[in-house]
Amino acid sequence: MTGGAGFIGSHFARRLFERGDEVVVLDKLTYSGNRANLEGCDVEFVHGDICDPEAVAAAGARCGAGVNFAAESHVDRSILGPAEFIRTDVLGTQVLLEWVRETGARFVQVSTDEVYGDVPRGVSSSEDDPVRPSSPYSASKAGGDLQVLAYVRTFGVNASVTRGSNTYGPNQYPEKVIPLFVTNALDGEPLPLYGDGRQVRDWMHVDDHCAGIELVLERGGPGEVYNVGGGEEVENRELTRRILELTGADGSLVRPVADRPGHDRRYAVDTRKLRELGWAPTRTLADGLPETVAWYRANRDWWEPIKSGEYRQFYERQYAERLG
Ligand code: NAD
Ligand code: DAU
């Protein structure tokens, strides 16, 4: 698997390790990759780039299947600098597909509900809907998905795509809204809420996301796309209220700031196809969010070092003007 030192990938690696699988992780250790995420998880770690065919061949030499978590994954960074997104999320996926073609390995591409673009209230995206991405991030993920589907049709590779909704849990890099707001609240720092705060996201616990990907790896069909979504739609301002309540922070920390350009209003996915394979979410925000806040409260030694260095530069670029 690739990207196993990141947020979702590290939970997936642990899941496979705990069920007794032999796992090889290929990861470039970009700013969001962190060896500490794999502590106590006995996997073979290969430091390398998915855009490098030799690194992919070396890491994959003994593997019968591949799951691609490696990506540039943050929308705001894709607005500050799109190029790296195209490189990793499109070209890197194509390099992995060449490995799949040569070896005949089974392959799962971990993608996102953002490729559908935003949808009005009352509508949910199904797997057959066209892709209509809004940001350089989601456009690069859509490009990766389309390469996978083209390789299935043209070369007959055995690959499937998952499209997951907003995921949360321990070990998430504190640029994404939940870990950013939780850690800022714990430090008494402002919570920069974009625009009117009424955008809707469909939240899913990382354990449920990983269970969905595992099922698709085992039972998904070639050329098939599977939505994975928690089904819990929450407006950002309500999510912020819950974070304030759980951290005990003061409401005055919330700062309405300039909106994200091209900001999608709402995502929602129809998950019937994956449910027919036997998947259903098992966690809700009511239990998962307090547990996640407790994890960040107890693991300052994980996130405090991250919030220095490169992170500070990103934070300045992203928020200094917004926060005045
Ligand atoms: P993350 O940013 O936490 O982790 C990405 C990992 O990929 C890091 O370990 C990084 O070092 C590695 N990586 C980046 N570029 C690489 C390259 N060129 N070669 C090798 N490794 C590289 O991301 P995440 O939130 O864990 O997301 C994982 C996947 O799930 C991504 O493909 C993302 O698009 C998708 N996804 C994420 C969410 C979410 O809410 N976080 C929801 C749906 C789908
Ligand atoms: O939907 C799946 C996607 O979810 C994944 O593919 C992406 O990798 C992941 O980053 C996530 O994308 P979002 O853009 O939805 O997540 P983010 O945590 O960046 O933002 C969630 C919402 O919170 C969004 O409406 C923007 C808002 N927000 C975010 C930040 C970082 C704020 O209001 N303020 C902020 O500072």
Side-chain angles (χ1 to χ4, degrees):
M1 53 175 290
T2 67
F7 164 48
I8 306 173
S10 62
H11 283 265
F12 192 77
R14 196 171 297 281
R15 186 181 186 91
L16 295 190
F17 166 67
E18 283 171 0
R19 72 172 208 188
D21 285 348
E22 253 188 90
V23 181
V24 180
V25 167
L26 172 65
D27 197 296
K28 187 179 172 185
L29 294 177
T30 65
Y31 75 89
S32 69
N34 186 346
R35 286 298 300 263
N37 290 345
L38 290 168
E39 229 161 65
C41 180
D42 189 11
V43 295
E44 183 183 333
F45 186 84
V46 180
H47 186 200
D49 189 334
I50 62 166
C51 300
D52 173 0
E54 283 175 19
V56 171
R62 294 185 301 112
C63 300
V67 184
N68 181 26
F69 291 88
E72 290 294 332
S73 66
H74 190 41
V75 173
D76 291 326
R77 287 188 192 250
S78 82
I79 296 167
L80 294 173
E84 199 55 31
F85 286 72
I86 318 296
R87 186 180 171 277
T88 290
D89 301 3
V90 185
L91 181 63
T93 301
Q94 186 266 333
V95 170
L96 293 171
L97 286 164
E98 279 298 309
W99 170 77
V100 171
R101 198 179 151 197
E102 276 158 30
T103 60
R106 166 91 179 116
F107 185 72
V108 174
Q109 167 75 354
V110 178
S111 186
T112 168
D113 62 357
E114 296 204 9
V115 299
Y116 297 117
D118 51 4
V119 288
R121 286 182 195 253
V123 174
S124 54
S125 304
S126 75
E127 290 85 352
D128 294 329
D129 286 350
V131 292
R132 208 174 46 86
S134 311
S135 70
Y137 161 68
S138 51
S140 72
K141 292 297 291 184
D145 289 17
L146 295 178
Q147 287 302 322
V148 174
L149 300 177
Y151 266 65
V152 172
R153 175 153 173 174
T154 305
F155 303 117
V157 302
N158 181 5
S160 310
V161 175
T162 62
R163 291 183 177 153
S165 71
N166 281 66
T167 304
Y168 72 96
N171 307 91
Q172 187 170 28
Y173 192 85
E175 63 189 353
K176 309 285 164 51
V177 74
I178 289 183
L180 173 70
F181 280 18
V182 169
T183 55
N184 278 13
L186 292 175
D187 275 351
E189 295 285 332
L191 313 187
L193 188 63
Y194 294 157
D196 63 5
R198 299 207 57 192
Q199 302 82 7
V200 174
R201 293 294 182 268
D202 168 358
W203 290 100
M204 170 163 63
H205 192 274
V206 65
D207 290 347
D208 285 325
H209 195 166
C210 289
I213 295 165
E214 183 182 13
L215 187 62
V216 170
L217 176 63
E218 286 167 356
R219 306 215 11 230
E224 297 294 335
V225 176
Y226 299 89
N227 291 338
V228 197
E232 264 198 282
E233 292 187 32
V234 182
E235 282 189 356
N236 291 338
R237 59 184 188 171
E238 165 60 13
L239 182 72
T240 306
R241 192 195 62 72
R242 293 193 204 181
I243 290 172
L244 287 174
E245 197 174 275
L246 289 165
T247 53
D250 197 273
S252 62
L253 290 180
V254 179
R255 300 279 175 79
V257 296
D259 209 351
R260 170 186 280 173
H263 197 172
D264 281 333
R265 286 300 281 182
R266 174 177 172 270
Y267 305 125
V269 280
D270 181 337
T271 56
R272 275 176 295 183
K273 189 171 171 183
L274 189 59
R275 285 170 188 267
E276 277 163 21
L277 280 190
W279 176 87
T282 60
R283 309 290 306 268
T284 61
L285 274 174
D287 69 274
L289 193 57
E291 186 197 272
T292 301
V293 171
W295 188 87
Y296 282 94
R297 207 189 271 285
N299 287 279
R300 277 185 174 270
D301 57 340
W302 183 86
W303 57 267
E304 277 181 347
I306 292 174
K307 283 196 154 191
S308 58
E310 192 278 343
Y311 183 87
R312 290 271 22 125
Q313 286 167 26
F314 160 72
Y315 201 84
E316 285 295 307
R317 283 184 75 197
Q318 180 62 22
Y319 297 108
E321 199 174 312
R322 281 188 165 87
L323 289 169

